[in-house]
C-alpha cells in the first residue's frame, strides 16, 4: 500500500493523551491491559491487588502507547514471578512498575567501555521501489545482507552502497521483491498500512490467536517447586534453557534471570551474534552447543532432562527437525514448559517466514501509521523495538503462568508468542494524540555499570521493583562458550 493512502483500520484511534509522561497512579483494574493479560492466562485475580503502576503515556515520542505496552508486559512477567514466590510458600509481596522507566528499558541502551555499539549494517533500512512503495531490508547478519544483494544483482560483501541498492530496487515492485526475498530465505518486508495488513490472510490468522497462547501438550504429574529455608529469590533454583537470539527471546531469559532463575543461554559456535548480546546476556550462563552435531544434541538433551522451562526462537519447525520440538521435549522431560517465539505466528501462510521487529513493524502497518501521524511520506519506525521487548516480557509471563499451572495441575505446556500478535495487541491499546511531540527523555539516571566479559557494561536497571526481593542480575554478562554445558551444582 502506498504511504500516502489513508489509514482506515478500525483499531488504534487517537486518544486525548496530549502531555508527556506525568505523575499518575493506578491499579490493574478491569480496563488495564495488565488485568486482561493476567485474566486471559488464568492467573489468580487476588494477585492484582499487589501491583502498583505509575506514569502515563506518552513516555517516548510516538503516536502509539509505547509506555503502556512496556509497563503492562514487564509488570505481567514480574507479577508472575511474585506469584511463583507465593506458590513456594511465601506471602505475596508488592510489585511496582513505573511506565516511563519501563519504556526506557525497551530502548536497548547500553555501552561497552564507554562506547555505544553500532549494531546496524549500512545496507539495513528502507528503500523506495519502482511502484512508489517502500521495502525494509534487514542486513545485520552477513548472510542476510549478501542474500539481499545477490537477489538485486549487486556485488556481495561490504563494497555495495545504499545508493547502489536504491538504484536496483527502483526496478522492482515492492511486494514482488518481498515475495522473492521470502522465497530465497531473506528477511525483507514491504510497507503496508493497517487496512491492507488487516485484509491479508496472515493478519487474519494472527488475529485468531491469543496474545500469549498457553496450551497443554502432554500428561505429567505436578512437579512441586523447590521449597527450602534459604529461598531468597522468587525463581531461585529454576532452570531455564534459552535457545534464542537478537532481542525478544534473550529479553525473556534476562527477565527470568532478574528474579533468580538459572538461565543458560545456548549458542552455536558456528553462528554469528550482534553486540547487544552483551546487554541481553545479563544474569545468564552462556554455553556452546552445535545442534548440527550428535555431541551438541546429546548435550542439549542432558540439559533438558533437568530443566523447568525451554525457550526457543527458531523459525517454526526448525527444532522439530533436530528432535527438540515441543512434543519431543515433553517426552524427554515430562512436565516441561516449552516457549516458542515466531515473527508472524504459528498458523497462516506466513507462519514459516523469518522476521525481525523492524520488518514486522513495516509489514503490519506501524511504519505507515507512525509516518502518517508525523505528516511524512516515507516509513517512520517506532522509537524503540517495542514488538521485540514486549514479546520478550510476554514470553517470560507465559512461561511462569504455565509453570504455575504445571505445579498445580501437572501436564507439559507449550507457550507461544509472536511479534505480529504482540503488534496487534499494541494497536488495541489505542493511539496517543500528539505523542510524537514528546521529546526523548534522558536515560542516564537509570543506568548502572558493572564489569562483564565484554568490557565495562553500562545498561538500564530493571524497571520492576519488588518490595522484598529486588530484581538484580547476579551473574555478569559473558561471551558465548564461557561456561560448560552442564547445570551448576546448586541448580
Amino acid at each position: 500500500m502506498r504511504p500516502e493512502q489513508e489509514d482506515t483500520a478500525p483499531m488504534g484511534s487517537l486518544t486525548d493523551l496530549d502531555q508527556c509522561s506525568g505523575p499518575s497512579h493506578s491499579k490493574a483494574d478491569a480496563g488495564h491491559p495488565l488485568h486482561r493479560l493476567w485474566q486471559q492466562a488464568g492467573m489468580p485475580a487476588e494477585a492484582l491487588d499487589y501491583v502498583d503502576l505509575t506514569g502515563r503515556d506518552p513516555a517516548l515520542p510516538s503516536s502509539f502507547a509505547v509506555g503502556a505496552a512496556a509497563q503492562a508486559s514487564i509488570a505481567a512477567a514480574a507479577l508472575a514471578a511474585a506469584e511463583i514466590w507465593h506458590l513456594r510458600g511465601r506471602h505475596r509481596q508488592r510489585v511496582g512498575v513505573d511506565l516511563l522507566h519501563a519504556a526506557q528499558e525497551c530502548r536497548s541502551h547500553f555501552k561497552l567501555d564507554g562506547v555505544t555499539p553500532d549494531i546496524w549494517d549500512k545496507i539495513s533500512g528502507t528503500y523506495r521501489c519502482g511502484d512508489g512503495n517502500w521495502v525494509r531490508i534487514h542486513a545485520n547478519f552477513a548472510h542476510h545482507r549478501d542474500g539481499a544483494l545477490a537477489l538485486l544483482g549487486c556485488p556481495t560483501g561490504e563494497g555495495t552502497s545504499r545508493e547502489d541498492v536504491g538504484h536496483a530496487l527502483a526496478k522492482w515492485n515492492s511486494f514482488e521483491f518481498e515475495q522473492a526475498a521470502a522465497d530465497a530465505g531473506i528477511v525483507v518486508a514491504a510497507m503496508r498500512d493497517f487496512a491492507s495488513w488487516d485484509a491479508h490472510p496472515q493478519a487474519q490468522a494472527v488475529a485468531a490467536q491469543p496474545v500469549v497462547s498457553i496450551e497443554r501438550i502432554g500428561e505429567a504429574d505436578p512437579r512441586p517447586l523447590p521449597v527450602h529455608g534459604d529461598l531468597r529469590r522468587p525463581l531461585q533454583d529454576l532452570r531455564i534453557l534459552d535457545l534464542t537470539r537478537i532481542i525478544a527471546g534473550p529479553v525473556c531469559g534476562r527477565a527470568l534471570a532478574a528474579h533468580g532463575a538459572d538461565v543458560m543461554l545456548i549458542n552455536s559456535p558456528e553462528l554469528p551474534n550482534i553486540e547487544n548480546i552483551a546487554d541481553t546476556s545479563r544474569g545468564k550462563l552462556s554455553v556452546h552447543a552445535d545442534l548440527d552435531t550428535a555431541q551438541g544434541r546429546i548435550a542439549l538433551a542432558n540439559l533438558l532432562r533437568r530443566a523447568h522451562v525451554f525457550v526457543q526462537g527458531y523459525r517454526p519447525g526448525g527444532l522439530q527437525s533436530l528432535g527438540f520440538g515441543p512434543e519431543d521435549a515433553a517426552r524427554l522431560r515430562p512436565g516441561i514448559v516449552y516457549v516458542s517465539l515466531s515473527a508472524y505466528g504459528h498458523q497462516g501462510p506466513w507462519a514459516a517466514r523469518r522476521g525481525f521487529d523492524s520488518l514486522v513493524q513495516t509489514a503490519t502497518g506501524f511504519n505507515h501509521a507512525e509516518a502518517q501521524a508525523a505528516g511524512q511520506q516515507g516509513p517512520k519506525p517506532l522509537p524503540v523495538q517495542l514488538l521485540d521487548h514486549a514479546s520478550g516480557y510476554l514470553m517470560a509471563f507465559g512461561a511462569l503462568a504455565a509453570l504455575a499451572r504445571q505445579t498445580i495441575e501437572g501436564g507439559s505446556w507449550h507457550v507461544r508468542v509472536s511479534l505480529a500478535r504482540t503488534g496487534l495487541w499494541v494497536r488495541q491499546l489505542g493511539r496517543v494524540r500528539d505523542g510524537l511531540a514528546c521529546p526523548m527523555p534522558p536515560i542516564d539516571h537509570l543506568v548502572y555499570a558493572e564489569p562483564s566479559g565484554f568490557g565495562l557494561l553500562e545498561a538500564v536497571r530493571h524497571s520492576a521493583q519488588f518490595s522484598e526481593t529486588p530484581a538484580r542480575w547476579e551473574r555478569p554478562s559473558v561471551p558465548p562458550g564461557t561456561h560448560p554445558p552442564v547445570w551448576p551444582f546448586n541448580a
Side-chain angles (χ1 to χ4, degrees):
M1 188 62 65
R2 299 288 179 86
E4 62 268 18
Q5 288 184 274
E6 186 69 18
D7 175 11
T8 57
M11 291 175 291
S13 60
L14 294 179
T15 69
D16 290 329
L17 298 176
D18 57 6
Q19 300 294 323
C20 292
S21 255
S24 67
H25 184 89
S26 68
K27 301 293 184 183
D29 57 25
H32 196 281
L34 172 60
H35 186 283
R36 294 193 292 272
L37 289 170
W38 197 256
Q39 184 180 52
Q40 289 164 7
M43 297 294 277
E46 55 269 26
L48 292 170
D49 293 334
Y50 291 82
V51 64
D52 301 301
L53 305 171
T54 56
R56 62 174 180 173
D57 270 311
L60 305 181
S62 177
S63 69
F64 290 90
V66 172
Q71 182 185 53
S73 57
I74 290 172
L79 194 62
E83 189 61 21
I84 295 294
W85 171 259
H86 179 60
L87 286 173
R88 301 175 84 173
R90 273 42 177 188
H91 61 265
R92 286 192 168 97
Q93 57 178 308
R94 300 207 69 80
V95 175
V97 181
D98 178 70
L99 182 144
L100 178 56
H101 189 167
Q104 296 277 58
E105 192 171 2
C106 294
R107 287 174 62 178
S108 293
H109 173 89
F110 73 101
K111 294 180 181 180
L112 292 173
D113 293 328
V115 177
T116 301
D118 183 6
I119 65 172
W120 292 99
D121 185 89
K122 67 179 182 180
I123 298 302
S124 292
T126 56
Y127 300 86
R128 196 159 195 167
C129 293
D131 62 344
N133 192 30
W134 298 75
V135 294
R136 184 179 294 277
I137 296 176
H138 193 285
N140 288 5
F141 291 123
H143 63 290
H144 290 159
R145 179 194 64 220
D146 289 346
L149 293 176
L151 182 61
L152 291 169
C154 296
T156 58
E158 299 183 1
T160 301
S161 68
R162 286 186 59 85
E163 290 73 18
D164 296 331
V165 174
H167 289 315
L169 280 169
K171 303 173 185 177
W172 278 86
N173 172 282
S174 59
F175 298 103
E176 291 175 357
F177 181 67
E178 177 189 64
Q179 185 60 53
D183 292 341
I186 303 162
V187 283
V188 168
M191 187 171 79
R192 293 169 177 79
D193 63 16
F194 281 149
S196 297
W197 173 247
D198 289 344
H200 194 283
Q202 189 58 38
Q204 294 165 22
V206 166
Q209 300 163 16
V211 182
V212 181
S213 170
I214 304 175
E215 178 187 4
R216 186 169 179 149
I217 59 169
E219 296 305 314
D221 292 335
R223 188 167 57 240
L225 298 169
V227 177
H228 46 71
D230 65 344
L231 189 65
R232 297 170 289 104
R233 312 289 304 284
L235 307 184
Q236 183 178 323
D237 298 331
L238 298 183
R239 298 179 290 276
I240 317 296
L241 285 171
D242 182 353
L243 282 77
T244 66
R245 292 157 56 76
I246 316 302
I247 295 178
V251 163
C252 168
R254 188 181 68 187
L256 297 173
H259 304 299
D262 286 301
V263 179
M264 182 179 288
L265 175 63
I266 297 183
N267 266 279
S268 167
E270 304 302 320
L271 293 177
N273 282 289
I274 59 177
E275 287 186 284
N276 72 337
I277 191 173
D279 174 40
T280 58
S281 292
R282 283 179 281 168
K284 301 179 186 180
L285 302 158
S286 193
V287 311
H288 273 151
D290 185 353
L291 301 187
D292 289 330
T293 68
Q295 183 180 10
R297 292 191 295 273
I298 290 169
L300 179 58
N302 288 336
L303 292 166
L304 174 57
R305 289 187 179 96
R306 295 188 61 208
H308 296 89
V309 178
F310 185 106
V311 183
Q312 64 92 13
Y314 282 65
R315 62 180 174 81
L319 278 183
Q320 276 90 333
S321 63
L322 298 172
F324 292 99
E327 289 77 16
D328 302 314
R331 284 192 295 271
L332 278 169
R333 174 59 152 157
I336 192 70
V337 172
Y338 191 101
V339 183
S340 295
L341 170 70
S342 63
Y344 294 101
H346 61 278
Q347 296 176 334
W350 283 17
R353 185 168 293 198
R354 296 172 173 88
F356 298 96
D357 178 298
S358 57
L359 299 175
V360 176
Q361 283 191 39
T362 302
T364 64
F366 281 95
N367 284 185
H368 174 269
E370 196 81 310
Q372 190 177 56
Q376 70 179 51
Q377 291 297 306
K380 183 174 178 58
L382 298 175
V384 296
Q385 292 186 280
L386 180 65
L387 308 188
D388 265 339
H389 285 271
S391 293
Y393 291 112
L394 291 174
M395 291 166 70
F397 166 58
L400 296 176
L403 188 62
R405 287 197 194 181
Q406 204 291 326
T407 301
I408 298 168
E409 305 172 26
S412 299
W413 297 83
H414 191 190
V415 175
R416 286 186 280 217
V417 172
S418 73
L419 301 181
R421 184 61 183 90
T422 297
L424 179 57
W425 173 69
V426 171
R427 283 177 61 186
Q428 291 167 335
L429 299 181
R431 302 285 289 280
V432 182
R433 189 177 302 278
D434 296 330
L436 286 165
C438 181
M440 186 64 80
I443 198 170
D444 287 348
H445 65 290
L446 300 175
V447 171
Y448 74 103
E450 68 175 8
S452 80
F454 301 90
L456 182 66
L457 174 66
E458 299 173 61
V460 177
R461 298 190 304 273
H462 194 33
S463 56
Q465 303 296 314
F466 281 48
S467 59
E468 296 185 28
T469 60
R472 66 182 186 276
W473 293 282
E474 295 182 337
R475 294 185 173 102
S477 173
V478 293
T482 296
H483 299 102
V486 293
W487 292 113
F489 177 78
N490 65 348

